[in-house]
Amino acid sequence: MSEQEAAQQNAGQPAMHERCLCREVLEHLSLSPEIREHFTNCRIEFLKGIRAIIDSRIERLSRTSQRGAKIPVD
């Protein structure tokens, strides 16, 4: 089954979480809703941090001047 077919098949179903060791460990512990919310926010903030690193790298690479010299062609 192609990815597109799988996406169409799952379109009407609720979203499932990707497997994550941390999530699986937390599911087996008796945690209050407040603690679960804290870890959910933590994952979100971690991903935002990764996004900031990527954005910074893209910006830095976009600013670098071209290396090399222009050579006129006859």
Side-chain angles (χ1 to χ4, degrees):
M1 176 183 302
S2 71
E3 288 183 32
Q4 185 178 13
E5 291 170 337
Q8 288 174 351
Q9 184 179 9
N10 296 330
Q13 299 175 1
M16 294 182 63
H17 297 287
E18 294 181 33
R19 287 192 66 182
C20 171
L21 177 62
C22 295
R23 177 183 288 276
E24 290 180 22
V25 169
L26 292 175
E27 286 177 357
H28 293 289
L29 299 174
S30 297
L31 302 175
S32 69
E34 293 83 16
I35 294 172
R36 289 184 184 275
E37 182 179 1
H38 174 75
F39 281 103
T40 297
N41 292 339
C42 178
R43 285 193 312 268
I44 292 168
E45 292 303 318
F46 176 79
L47 291 172
K48 286 180 181 180
I50 296 297
R51 181 173 55 192
I53 292 169
I54 292 169
D55 289 344
S56 173
R57 179 81 171 140
I58 290 171
E59 183 180 331
R60 187 166 52 95
L61 290 173
S62 297
R63 279 188 280 142
T64 59
S65 62
Q66 290 182 338
R67 295 181 185 183
K70 290 186 179 182
I71 301 173
V73 178
D74 294 330

